[in-house]
Amino acid sequence: MLLIIGGSIWYALLPTRHKAIVKTEFLLRTGLVDNQWVVDNATQQYQMISPAFLIDGIYKSMEGPKASNYVQLSQDSTLLWITGFQVKALDSKTKKPISNDFICHTNVDFNDVNYFNNFHLQNRIGKQYPRMTSLSHGLEHFRFPKGYGVPMKGNDWLFVTTQSLNHNLPDANYLIKHEVTIEYHKADQRTKPLMSRTVFVQLPYDKNDPFKEPLDPASNQCVPVETKNHSYDDGNGNMLSGHWVIPSGKKTYRSSIDAQLQMKDSLRLHAAAIHVHPFATSITLFDKTTNQPIFTSKITNHKDKIGLSEIEPFSSEKGIWLYKTHQYDLVLETNNTTAIEQDMMGSMFLFFYDQELDDILKRP
């Protein structure tokens, strides 16, 4: 009885995100809900359906039940080209599509040690977080421009995590699933390889009193959602957050991405997948040197509820050059139309033509 009482108190004190983790783990381990990934790889699409997620209240971005699965596109080392990604929300029982408002994000990570060893690119290991891309609410499907893809050996591993969301239905009591699709095709001499670089808005905060408000309006500081996750040291002892709160009204946030780009030479950009939270209205890749935008992703919010209707991706067969000698920012515009603070992120998964890997793949 004491254990039950103590456990109940401990659970009640957890934040929503951690409650979702505990609840989901309990339901999956006990088998009270469908707890298996269902995989279909009969065509050149790797398609899988997640275990069931219980939506029993409001789950804001980054808070909902989630599950992860390891993926091999084939059982041998055949060279494959990944060309697109998609995620759908399904009713757990009927498997019919439901509102994508129940999709928070789907992350696709790779093992950088195995991946770069396979292509004799050991000098790239450990240089950045090995996330290939992410789909999220408002951008539930994404394809590379014609003639481009991310190459990988078929039996190399991907790690897929998909998380649920519910901004608007406090009395919800649903069991849902996510259907995740990875599109690919077999080796093609005409396909050109892409490499991914992840960039995101990072804002400084007071590490001694991170949640103090109001902030100095003349400063570039933010109030982080929390300091355990998405917090970074700038190398000089100052703390930065990639997940912060925004006040009511319109705001502009800007941060340098030069360190994240890690440009050793000029690169040609062909695609970009965008991740933002509700109340973002646009995000721009900005060339500080020329004082001109590279491109702007327009973001459409729902009109009658919280959520994102569409995030505009970037895709170009021709490509746009980014130069080593230039400096670049991400510029995020937001409009919080509610009377309370909301959480925010602003990220881009940028895909550049990989000349070095192309030369390796063309060797006899």
Side-chain angles (χ1 to χ4, degrees):
M1 183 64 69
L2 289 174
L3 286 175
I4 293 173
I5 295 172
S8 299
I9 294 173
W10 169 78
Y11 179 80
L13 294 174
L14 292 174
T16 303
R17 184 168 70 91
H18 294 133
K19 283 181 180 177
I21 293 171
V22 173
K23 189 184 307 178
T24 302
E25 188 70 13
F26 172 77
L27 292 172
L28 295 180
R29 286 187 177 273
T30 58
L32 294 175
V33 300
D34 290 344
N35 57 9
Q36 298 296 320
W37 288 86
V38 179
V39 175
D40 178 10
N41 197 23
T43 64
Q44 288 190 349
Q45 289 186 336
Y46 191 103
Q47 192 172 85
M48 56 186 179
I49 298 177
S50 73
F53 301 135
L54 175 61
I55 306 300
D56 58 349
I58 295 295
Y59 291 106
K60 297 175 67 176
S61 300
M62 320 291 290
E63 291 184 348
K66 60 183 178 180
S68 301
N69 194 30
Y70 284 99
V71 170
Q72 284 179 308
L73 299 181
S74 72
Q75 299 303 306
D76 56 42
S77 60
T78 300
L79 181 65
L80 302 175
W81 293 86
I82 296 175
T83 57
F85 308 88
Q86 185 171 7
V87 59
K88 296 179 181 178
L90 306 177
D91 178 272
S92 179
K93 184 176 181 179
T94 66
K95 306 300 188 294
K96 292 183 178 180
I98 57 176
S99 171
N100 283 335
D101 286 354
F102 293 112
I103 296 171
C104 181
H105 63 260
T106 300
N107 294 332
V108 181
D109 299 337
F110 62 98
N111 184 315
D112 66 336
V113 176
N114 290 344
Y115 183 86
F116 291 126
N117 271 325
N118 284 335
F119 296 116
H120 310 290
L121 294 168
Q122 289 84 354
N123 62 321
R124 298 188 187 183
I125 294 172
K127 296 299 177 63
Q128 68 172 39
Y129 190 81
R131 177 152 296 161
M132 186 175 293
T133 195
S134 183
L135 300 173
S136 59
H137 188 216
L139 185 69
E140 295 89 8
H141 54 89
F142 173 70
R143 291 179 179 88
F144 298 124
K146 183 179 178 181
Y148 290 89
V150 174
M152 71 178 300
K153 300 297 180 69
N155 59 357
D156 203 352
W157 291 99
L158 293 172
F159 186 62
V160 177
T161 299
T162 190
Q163 186 169 27
S164 54
L165 181 73
N166 176 29
H167 278 298
N168 299 293
L169 303 173
D171 299 322
N173 187 21
Y174 306 122
L175 284 172
I176 71 161
K177 292 173 176 278
H178 288 174
E179 179 186 85
V180 181
T181 302
I182 302 173
E183 300 175 1
Y184 66 92
H185 63 71
K186 293 186 178 179
D188 183 342
Q189 293 295 323
R190 295 168 297 178
T191 305
K192 296 180 180 180
L194 296 170
M195 60 178 170
S196 175
R197 296 279 170 84
T198 303
V199 298
F200 52 94
V201 176
Q202 299 179 93
L203 300 173
Y205 66 87
D206 185 347
K207 63 181 179 181
N208 298 314
D209 194 1
F211 306 114
K212 180 183 178 181
E213 294 191 78
L215 295 174
D216 180 350
S219 75
N220 190 37
Q221 285 193 325
C222 75
V223 174
V225 171
E226 59 174 319
T227 57
K228 293 181 179 180
N229 297 295
H230 307 290
S231 283
Y232 312 93
D233 190 311
D234 70 352
N236 297 311
N238 302 309
M239 297 305 298
L240 308 171
S241 178
H243 189 199
W244 69 100
V245 297
I246 61 172
S248 299
K250 296 181 179 181
K251 291 282 289 184
T252 300
Y253 300 93
R254 176 190 293 261
S255 73
S256 171
I257 57 170
D258 295 333
Q260 298 168 12
L261 283 172
Q262 301 181 26
M263 292 181 65
K264 297 181 179 179
D265 201 352
S266 297
L267 295 171
R268 195 170 73 232
L269 178 69
H270 287 276
I274 314 298
H275 172 71
V276 295
H277 289 185
F279 306 106
T281 55
S282 71
I283 187 168
T284 299
L285 177 60
F286 192 84
D287 187 328
K288 289 172 62 179
T289 304
T290 63
N291 200 34
Q292 295 290 328
I294 302 297
F295 75 89
T296 296
S297 170
K298 296 179 181 178
I299 301 158
T300 304
N301 284 258
H302 294 333
K303 293 182 179 180
D304 56 348
K305 58 183 177 178
I306 297 175
L308 297 172
S309 302
E310 184 179 5
I311 301 172
E312 184 179 24
F314 170 79
S315 180
S316 169
E317 290 185 41
K318 180 180 179 182
I320 299 177
W321 283 98
L322 271 66
Y323 300 99
K324 178 185 176 182
T325 56
H326 288 203
Q327 294 180 309
Y328 298 94
D329 279 353
L330 279 187
V331 182
L332 177 68
E333 302 283 350
T334 68
N335 183 15
N336 180 2
T337 55
T338 71
I340 62 174
E341 292 180 335
Q342 302 287 346
D343 65 290
M344 184 54 61
M345 279 184 159
S347 307
M348 289 186 180
F349 300 90
L350 303 176
F351 293 90
F352 298 95
Y353 169 58
D354 193 336
Q355 178 71 63
E356 183 181 14
L357 181 53
D358 201 6
D359 292 341
I360 292 172
L361 294 174
K362 288 178 179 177
R363 292 174 187 169

